[in-house]
Amino acid sequence: MRTDLSSYNNSWFNPGSRTKRLAWYLINEIFLKSSFNPSSAIKVFWLRRFGAKIGKGVIIKPSVNIKYPWKLIIGDYCWIGEEVWIDNLDSVIIENNVCISQGAFLLCGNHNYKLPSFDLITKPITLREGCWIGAKSIVGPGVVVNDYAILALGSVTSTKLEAYGIYRGNPAQKIKDRVFTS
């Protein structure tokens, strides 16, 4: 059996009306992806207008790309760094006090390599209370990063990360436990 992309069909996938997606594409380009807009308040305003649920004290740096705000929930006091890409083909839930560092990539979609048609697969991502996604890290579809876990710089995960675990590498492996000092 071989891959046959002519049979690819993701007609089941409906992320929103064409008009809504086009309007968001324009707003995203102007207000979020642009490095000329440093204001988190303006970004939060537009994200909420397009259906995102966003808590208080959220900081969104310049050049952030969010695919579908209506599939996004962000808790209180979260930081989203420069050039973060939230490719939320499915829901992304970011709980309170989460830090997503520069260039991190949250990816909710993939393809079924076992089928010749290479069908689209989507799964949600959940970032639990106080976790930290390091710069240039990748979080794959279906991942839950549990409370206070860390995904270190440039690491890649496609599996659940335990609470308070510190993970590094590709694929990310637990290297130690996170311990807070007073």
Side-chain angles (χ1 to χ4, degrees), residues 10 13-18 20-29 32-33 46-47 50-52 63-72 74 84-92 105-111 120 122:
N10 72 338
F13 182 68
N14 182 11
S17 75
R18 177 175 268 177
K20 182 179 186 178
R21 287 182 288 139
L22 177 60
W24 173 248
Y25 176 82
L26 294 172
I27 294 298
N28 192 34
E29 287 292 326
L32 272 83
K33 287 176 69 176
W46 282 112
L47 286 164
F50 278 85
S63 303
V64 169
N65 185 12
I66 297 173
K67 180 80 90 181
Y68 301 125
W70 47 93
K71 294 178 177 248
L72 180 63
I74 302 174
V84 165
W85 183 6
I86 301 176
D87 192 22
N88 57 333
L89 299 174
D90 207 318
S91 68
V92 169
F105 186 19
L106 306 183
L107 176 65
C108 289
N110 204 345
H111 294 276
L120 178 65
T122 67

Side-chain angles (χ1 to χ4, degrees), residues 105-127:
F105 186 19
L106 306 183
L107 176 65
C108 289
N110 204 345
H111 294 276
N112 189 341
Y113 63 87
K114 295 177 183 178
L115 295 177
S117 56
F118 210 53
D119 293 349
L120 178 65
I121 301 169
T122 67
K123 294 181 181 174
I125 290 173
T126 301
L127 305 180

